[in-house]
Amino acid sequence: MHYLSTRASTGNPPERKRFCDILLEGLAPDGGLYLPEHYPQVNDAMLAKWRSLSYAELAFEVLSLYIDDIPAADLKAICLKTYTEDVFGSPEIVPLRPLGDGLHLQALSNGPTLAFKDMAMQLLGNLFEYELARRGEALNILGATSGDTGSAAEYAMRGKQGVRVFMLSPNGRMSPFQQAQMFSLQDENIHNIVIDGVFDDCQDIVKAVSNDLAFKRRYRIGTVNSINWARLMAQVVYYFAGYFQATRTSEEKVSFTVPSGNFGNVCAGHVARMMGLPIDRLVVATNENDVLDEFFRTGVYRVRQSADTHETSSPSMDISKASNFERFVFDLLGRDGGKTRALFHDQISSQGCFELASDPAFTMAASRFGFASGKSTHADRLATIRDTWARFGAMVDTHTADGVKVAREQMQAGVPMIVLETALPIKFAATIEEALGRSPMRPAGFEGIEALPKRFARLPADAASIQRYIMQNVD
Ligand SMILES: *Cc1c(COP(=O)(O)O)cnc(C)c1O
């Protein structure tokens, strides 16, 4: 399998890269995102065989279609070591729970940091450790977080050989639970850095340090952000696992509703559907930051200014642009890299938006690719959390509530609808208390984490200070 960039020009033959070449990379050199040259197809025989596999075995089968530069026995060992009941809390790893009228909730949030990002990040940690050891290299991961990504990355990389994490977070912006998760880690290779500034300052510092090419090379700086293909690929697996649990034969179809921010999670659903998994519709659920809902309704993709980006009670979906969206648009445009570049590079930088309403490709977003969308607000979130609790005794987090709200609007008779649960309520306790007048349940092992000793450095919001800190903390 080879990978190409979404901005690869058709004129010159694209540089052909294999999986391990792009594993440790972020964006492609031309600014595009990597995708496989084609989507491997599954047939009825494969689906029938995969139906009875454990999650780890299923992961191995799916990943094998995309990775041909790691020996099969090694890849299998990595999958078996990653997806265990011990780490993910149940033998099914991603169990389904019925919520009435053909709606199901797929649990993706029982990993170490209680959000779905663990599903991919835990695999990434093991792949990084394996590949770095094979090359005899080391990597210093630099990232910025205001919540789930940073902790998922730290719990995936803690104690791993050859990897250090430097994670910047804005002073006082995370929920107390999220902060405690990160700052209580005592591992030598994990560095929490509190920045006197806001999240944008943290991101600017990461960009500035990554743009200092001499520093980047000398200190082997890397990232684990959501545009990494390996993360997306790992997420494809749970669409198969959810499908198998909701159906008895592969004649049946299911739909998925996905609480979306950067379009990483639902893009994995798109890949699963392109592989031939019988998915009827992929419903994108947004919060008040409705960049994606606007696109699927109108054909206009309009990046928001920071002043138009709302701080909501589902904060992990508070985005001004959707960084993985370019992958889907590339497929929508018949994989035309030149056209994709013209939209995402030229038009976005000059006008901040592009419009496909009159392009025949746009009508295919629904008919050929199965996409639909909807939006949920703070009031919807509260109402959905209350309703789901009252009728089913299920407490859902604020992001998942956005999904449930939109899923109920988009249900179609006879087609099971699976909502992806993206976090547990304990991570967003304040809104649960507002909705239910009680505190969310705290899973075993998380009692009193807010009181644990915290390990972090506090630095001013400038790139030079961060570079100095990195230099002092690598050998
Ligand atoms: C990251 C995140 C999302 C958004 O996922 P995308 O892949 O960016 O669309 C939704 N909910 C939670 C809880 C998250 O952590």
Side-chain angles (χ1 to χ4, degrees):
M1 175 63 79
H2 288 92
Y3 291 85
L4 48 75
S5 160
T6 52
R7 298 185 189 177
S9 64
T10 33
N12 350 345
E15 210 187 332
R16 304 184 87 216
K17 294 196 167 170
R18 294 172 77 190
F19 177 79
C20 290
D21 300 327
I22 66 166
L23 171 64
L24 303 169
E25 263 187 65
L27 289 175
D30 61 13
L33 283 69
Y34 287 113
L35 272 179
E37 263 181 355
H38 65 272
Y39 294 114
Q41 297 299 301
V42 296
N43 55 36
D44 287 349
M46 289 162 90
L47 289 175
K49 184 171 149 245
W50 289 4
R51 186 173 279 282
S52 56
L53 298 180
S54 72
Y55 192 89
E57 291 164 338
L58 177 65
F60 169 69
E61 294 295 334
V62 173
L63 267 49
S64 297
L65 302 175
Y66 291 100
I67 304 174
D68 54 13
D69 51 353
I70 294 178
D74 292 356
L75 185 59
K76 187 147 200 182
I78 289 171
C79 292
L80 290 172
K81 167 170 143 184
T82 303
Y83 296 110
T84 65
E85 178 174 353
D86 196 35
V87 174
F88 289 97
S90 71
E92 300 90 349
I93 308 294
V94 290
L96 282 198
R97 154 167 207 180
L99 280 190
D101 316 319
L103 197 75
H104 305 266
L105 202 59
Q106 185 175 359
L108 302 180
S109 309
N110 296 306
T113 74
L114 310 181
F116 87 96
K117 291 188 173 72
D118 290 329
M119 295 303 307
M121 210 69 96
Q122 287 288 314
L123 180 78
L124 202 67
N126 287 327
L127 284 171
F128 272 27
E129 186 173 54
Y130 174 85
E131 184 58 17
L132 289 168
R134 197 157 71 156
R135 296 180 182 197
E137 287 176 13
L139 189 70
N140 293 306
I141 293 167
L142 176 64
T145 190
S146 55
D148 296 334
T149 309
S151 54
E154 292 188 354
Y155 280 76
M157 303 297 167
R158 64 186 294 202
K160 293 274 186 290
Q161 293 295 317
V163 190
R164 282 187 206 86
V165 177
F166 296 88
M167 191 58 66
L168 313 184
S169 59
N171 195 6
R173 285 307 184 90
M174 280 183 287
S175 77
F177 185 89
Q178 286 179 309
Q179 199 200 54
Q181 277 188 313
M182 287 177 57
F183 292 7
S184 63
L185 286 179
Q186 300 296 326
D187 305 73
E188 287 276 317
N189 70 328
I190 302 297
H191 298 271
N192 289 300
I193 304 174
V194 174
I195 297 293
D196 286 318
V198 295
F199 177 63
D200 281 343
D201 298 321
C202 299
Q203 268 193 317
D204 289 345
I205 293 170
V206 172
K207 265 191 212 141
V209 173
S210 305
N211 288 340
D212 181 345
L213 293 182
F215 184 87
K216 188 178 174 192
R217 243 193 318 274
R218 167 88 177 73
Y219 290 97
R220 299 176 305 270
I221 303 294
T223 59
V224 289
N225 49 27
S226 81
I227 52 113
N228 183 296
W229 163 257
R231 279 182 62 182
L232 212 128
M233 176 193 67
Q235 292 169 181
V236 172
V237 178
Y238 54 69
Y239 285 86
F240 281 84
Y243 173 81
F244 290 136
Q245 291 179 74
T247 59
R248 276 191 303 265
T249 74
S250 33
E251 257 115 76
E252 298 166 58
K253 285 193 167 191
V254 305
S255 293
F256 286 90
T257 299
V258 187
S260 294
N262 276 315
F263 205 77
N265 199 353
V266 74
C267 194
H270 165 67
V271 172
R273 194 174 182 278
M274 296 298 280
M275 291 170 73
L277 184 67
I279 296 176
D280 188 24
R281 295 201 303 158
L282 289 165
V283 181
V284 176
T286 74
N287 65 16
E288 291 87 338
N289 297 291
D290 58 353
V291 184
L292 291 167
D293 181 43
E294 180 175 79
F295 174 79
F296 286 107
R297 275 186 300 104
T298 67
V300 175
Y301 180 70
R302 183 169 57 87
V303 171
R304 309 294 198 254
Q305 304 297 310
S306 346
D308 292 335
T309 309
H310 309 281
E311 266 187 49
T312 75
S313 47
S314 43
S316 298
M317 291 154 60
D318 292 351
I319 49 122
S320 56
K321 60 178 179 4
S323 46
N324 268 290
F325 187 54
E326 181 168 335
R327 287 196 161 104
F328 169 66
V329 172
F330 179 66
D331 284 343
L332 187 70
L333 299 172
R335 302 203 132 202
D336 183 334
K339 215 166 160 186
T340 308
R341 159 176 284 278
L343 296 182
F344 281 91
H345 183 263
D346 310 341
Q347 288 213 39
I348 293 283
S349 55
S350 64
Q351 291 151 34
C353 69
F354 61 74
E355 169 170 3
L356 292 177
S358 53
D359 194 310
F362 175 66
T363 30
M364 297 200 318
S367 59
R368 178 151 165 237
F369 296 98
F371 272 95
S373 72
K375 169 180 172 174
S376 162
T377 64
H378 183 69
D380 295 324
R381 229 164 275 142
L382 296 179
T384 305
I385 291 169
R386 281 189 200 115
D387 175 66
T388 310
W389 177 241
R391 288 203 289 149
F392 306 101
M395 202 184 277
V396 291
D397 102 289
T398 51
H399 307 76
T400 309
D402 290 331
V404 171
K405 186 264 181 183
V406 172
R408 291 211 186 275
E409 293 166 352
Q410 298 279 346
M411 290 284 295
Q412 283 173 320
V415 185
M417 173 67 88
I418 299 175
V419 179
L420 300 185
E421 175 202 59
T422 56
L424 291 195
I426 186 71
K427 298 194 87 168
F428 305 96
T431 308
I432 302 300
E433 277 151 24
E434 185 182 346
L436 302 179
R438 55 161 286 175
S439 307
M441 279 124 3
R442 195 174 271 253
F446 290 89
E447 301 86 0
I449 65 164
E450 290 89 341
L452 292 175
K454 294 184 167 51
R455 183 167 176 272
F456 64 94
R458 186 166 168 182
L459 295 176
D462 73 89
S465 309
I466 307 307
Q467 288 181 315
R468 216 162 24 247
Y469 182 89
I470 293 173
M471 285 154 62
Q472 285 160 0
N473 284 281
V474 306
D475 0 292

